[in-house]
Amino acid sequence: MLKSNVGELAALATAFCWSLSATAFELSGRKVGSLSVNYIRLVTGFIFISVFTFFTRGYFLPIDATSKNWIFLSISGLIGFFIGDLFLFQSYLEVGSRVSMLIMATSPPIAALLGFIIFGEKLRVISILGMAITLLGIAIVILSKNPDEKKIKITHSVKGLTYAFLGSLGQSVGLIFSKIGMGEYNPFAATQIRIIAGFISFTILFIYLKKWDDLRLALKDKKAMLGITIGSIFGPFVGVSLSLLSLQYTSAGISSTITSIVPVTIIPLSMLVFKEKIKLKEILGAITTVAGVAVLFLF
């Protein structure tokens, strides 16, 4: 049974890894700021993946990539790892990783819509229904009705929600450029190129903002560094590896659907680590959001 369900189990493990990664990054971000966390995790993530590719491919760096690989994957890294994650990690501090991961569930629908616009991929009525269900689940969590004024209001920071959505948009657009640039190229080496582009972008930003003192303080904070290291291992390294393993043993639709349960799997971590009091409607909203993604991919 375990052998026949390797793909599904790997996708489930991926969801737990990404939940743990988001929680660890939020914890570290609260201590040393989102910019320092972003910068350090790119370095640590790059080291882990580079060691892995050295033993699996024989290359420590992606020196066998074509110019097309470098151009489009670098653009993907700029949009995804730099712009998208710049907003996403700040949203962790504004609304928390749990709500941020819920908003990030809009990434698959956005990617499907972009695929329809850019590549002419088929977008069926059932897919549009899945997008609507996903948005409904998010609305259940972030909206509430004021019984006195009989008005609908947003229950979380608008700025934080906007940051999370921009993070989702960055991930979706980055995915499109990854699809163009990767082709048949090794996905781990492709991730290296994306990280390099993100690292260069953040370096320029640090130079411009003169944030090197913040970075030095972050490197001296042992608890923050532990969180960043844990997040880097379970996010861009183990999480990515398991997601790729999942795609080898099961369909992309099943893998994407199981992986998208992060808004649900992160709830126990939020309760345990941050002592959050989760309302019943928030659990219902998270489940509805995941159901929407399932409709989008499985039907």
Side-chain angles (χ1 to χ4, degrees):
M1 176 184 171
L2 289 176
K3 189 175 180 180
S4 62
N5 292 290
V6 169
E8 290 79 2
L9 290 171
L12 183 62
T14 300
F16 282 105
C17 281
W18 285 344
S19 299
L20 182 58
S21 175
T23 303
F25 285 142
E26 180 187 347
L27 268 174
S28 298
R30 289 183 178 186
K31 289 179 174 295
V32 297
S34 62
L35 273 180
S36 295
V37 172
N38 251 313
Y39 197 81
I40 298 170
R41 64 106 191 189
L42 284 178
V43 176
T44 52
F46 183 79
I47 291 171
F48 290 132
I49 291 179
S50 297
V51 171
F52 179 80
T53 56
F54 177 76
F55 285 104
T56 57
R57 301 180 64 241
Y59 295 109
F60 187 79
L61 297 172
I63 56 175
D64 58 334
T66 65
S67 56
K68 180 183 178 182
N69 293 144
W70 275 102
I71 291 170
F72 286 100
L73 289 172
S74 293
I75 295 173
S76 173
L78 172 66
I79 296 172
F81 277 131
F82 176 56
I83 299 174
D85 284 351
L86 187 67
F87 285 112
L88 175 62
F89 277 58
Q90 187 59 35
S91 74
Y92 288 167
L93 306 185
E94 296 286 343
V95 294
S97 55
R98 178 177 62 84
V99 175
S100 295
M101 287 295 100
L102 180 73
I103 302 299
M104 284 295 288
T106 60
S107 185
I110 292 173
L113 188 60
L114 290 174
F116 169 73
I117 296 171
I118 298 172
F119 299 114
E121 294 177 350
K122 192 174 182 180
L123 192 62
R124 299 173 299 159
V125 174
I126 192 71
S127 300
I128 298 173
L129 176 62
M131 295 177 187
I133 295 173
T134 300
L135 294 175
L136 173 63
I138 293 172
I140 290 173
V141 175
I142 68 171
L143 299 178
S144 67
K145 188 175 182 179
N146 189 319
D148 298 324
E149 301 178 6
K150 295 182 179 180
K151 292 182 180 180
I152 301 295
K153 66 175 184 178
I154 298 174
T155 56
H156 296 81
S157 162
V158 175
K159 181 169 71 171
L161 295 174
T162 302
Y163 284 163
F165 177 75
L166 289 173
S168 179
L169 182 62
Q171 180 170 306
S172 302
V173 176
L175 182 64
I176 295 297
F177 279 98
S178 288
K179 186 173 182 177
I180 297 171
M182 187 165 65
E184 300 298 320
Y185 191 55
N186 183 275
F188 289 99
T191 302
Q192 282 183 296
I193 295 175
R194 296 184 69 218
I195 290 177
I196 290 170
F199 172 77
I200 293 172
S201 300
F202 271 108
T203 299
I204 294 171
L205 182 62
F206 265 80
I207 293 172
Y208 177 74
L209 296 177
K210 299 178 181 178
K211 289 285 186 177
W212 297 112
D213 287 339
D214 291 349
L215 185 61
R216 278 191 286 270
L217 289 174
L219 290 169
K220 292 179 181 179
D221 192 314
K222 293 181 179 179
K223 289 185 178 180
M225 286 302 298
L226 177 62
I228 295 170
T229 302
I230 291 173
S232 299
I233 291 172
F234 286 98
F237 181 47
V238 177
V240 169
S241 302
L242 287 170
S243 66
L244 293 172
L245 177 66
S246 173
L247 289 172
Q248 288 180 332
Y249 286 92
T250 189
S251 69
I254 292 174
S255 177
S256 299
T257 300
I258 296 175
T259 303
S260 73
I261 67 170
V262 173
V264 176
T265 56
I266 201 172
I267 289 175
L269 281 173
S270 296
M271 295 173 67
L272 181 65
V273 177
F274 301 114
K275 311 300 180 185
E276 290 187 15
K277 294 181 179 180
I278 312 298
K279 298 178 181 177
L280 180 60
K281 74 157 193 165
E282 293 179 314
I283 297 174
L284 176 62
I287 294 172
T288 303
T289 299
V290 173
V293 177
V295 170
L296 176 65
F297 283 119
L298 297 182
F299 295 96

